[in-house]
Amino acid sequence: MKEEDDEVPQPVKQSANIITFNDSCDDDSDADSCASDETERRPVGYTNLAKRFHTVSVKVKPNRLLSYDGKWATELTSGPDASARTADPITLAILENDIEAFHQIADMMEGLEEPMAVPVALLHTILPSDSPEMLDAFIRRTGGGLSLPEPKAQKSTDDMDPMEDHDGNDGGAKFYLGLDVDGKKRKDLARREDPNAPYAYAGTSYQIPIAWYAASRQATAILEYLNSPRAIEAYKYYAETEKTMLATRLAEVLTSTDDFHEMVGFSISRFAETPVLATIWGPAKPDKILPTLKKLMELQPRLTADGVRLQVKPGRMSPILFLCQTKAPVEVFDWMMANGADPLVRDERGWNILHILFTSGNLNWELIEHVLTKLPADVTRALMAQQSSTQRNTVSDATLRLLSVLLNQTRT
């Protein structure tokens, strides 16, 4: 019987998926030959990454990637107020006030095989952030935000009118003005349905001035920027560096900057609208109304003083009447009274400030009590005695609490 020590060990068959090293190579042997043996024994299925094509390749076009709305978390990422929003890359850069990212993404959009323009609608995303730097970058790339005056009317024949192309060049084409309207040719009506009309003519569209938007968002830093030479320089930069129809038009109107404040919105409209009205009418931040009004008075004192007193047409509503519909602090009422607001003003329905205060859907009790104690007694009595066209007197629908406040005011 053979002893166990005499048994010869059998070689173990190794799997093809295991990397093995040849230990039989002497230390003095060529290292390259050993390496070549090891390379030959690499398992099947592995790829030599050094020989791969390095350029990233996807089936989705870059245009779609840069316009895709991805989800992102707000600052409050936990708790009951946590929320998430969707935004494309350039919008997200604005929301995070990342000017460097905005420029980089805009450069990528312009450098695509099918170039993408920065959306003009991003203006409404920039204004609530109150970032003059972001607005300056936006204007230099888009030239958007100004309410441009109508281009000068060109001379025309009785029935034909030269028609410009989109580049502003007279191509020699003629535009038929149509039949006479009240004995006159109406170029504006003829242009209304013209798909090649390069600008918006009167009666076809109305653009709310950028300063009004900024005032309604209580963006005081942007208001200061729009009132400064920086805004003019930004629009001139766009006019000088771009070759669009808008750039040509801006170059025309900015030859003289005397009307720039009117184009940006520091003006009174034909309906008596002003930035003061925009600040108070449906404010985004009622607690910021007073700082915004003070900033407007600092930047445009005469316009602001007029805006406090003017009544809007139609409706004849004034800023102080609109104020009575908000949750604004009482200090705003005092500021308006100190700057010329009329407490006895009435709208076309015959409603005064007490009518509006007492019938508001969400009564501002602090302002009601303040108004009744702040105004002189004779003014309060006159307001309470005034009748409107829809309700006989001021307190017809008053609540018990309101009646109590009025009775206390009468006793005092």
Side-chain angles (χ1 to χ4, degrees), residues 52-60 62 65:
R52 291 193 62 182
F53 187 59
H54 294 289
T55 305
V56 177
S57 178
V58 294
K59 295 181 180 179
V60 181
L65 291 174

Side-chain angles (χ1 to χ4, degrees), residues 114-161:
E114 300 176 4
M116 298 173 60
V118 176
V120 180
L122 289 178
L123 176 64
H124 302 291
T125 307
I126 295 173
L127 293 178
S129 66
D130 197 14
S131 173
E133 292 75 17
M134 186 65 74
L135 179 60
D136 187 82
F138 171 83
I139 292 174
R140 289 174 181 268
R141 288 187 177 272
T142 66
L146 286 187
S147 298
L148 299 178
E150 296 180 12
K152 295 180 180 179
Q154 296 184 355
K155 296 180 180 179
S156 61
T157 60
D158 292 338
D159 294 332
M160 307 297 291
D161 184 50

Side-chain angles (χ1 to χ4, degrees), residues 66 98-110 141:
L66 290 175
D98 191 338
I99 299 176
E100 182 179 359
F102 175 84
H103 283 299
Q104 291 177 350
I105 296 171
D107 289 339
M108 292 172 61
M109 295 169 66
E110 293 177 359
R141 288 187 177 272

Side-chain angles (χ1 to χ4, degrees), residues 25-43:
C25 292
D26 297 331
D27 296 337
D28 298 335
S29 63
D30 188 13
D32 293 339
S33 62
C34 294
S36 63
D37 294 341
E38 294 169 7
T39 303
E40 292 175 358
R41 295 183 183 183
R42 284 177 180 167

Side-chain angles (χ1 to χ4, degrees), residues 169-190:
N169 300 320
D170 186 357
K174 299 296 182 180
F175 188 82
Y176 180 59
L177 293 179
L179 301 176
D180 290 354
V181 179
D182 294 332
K184 296 181 180 180
K185 297 293 182 182
R186 292 293 302 275
K187 180 179 178 179
D188 56 336
L189 296 179

Side-chain angles (χ1 to χ4, degrees), residues 201-221:
Y201 282 74
T204 59
S205 65
Y206 176 72
Q207 180 178 352
I208 298 177
I210 185 175
W212 296 7
Y213 272 124
S216 67
R217 300 297 185 271
Q218 287 73 52
T220 53

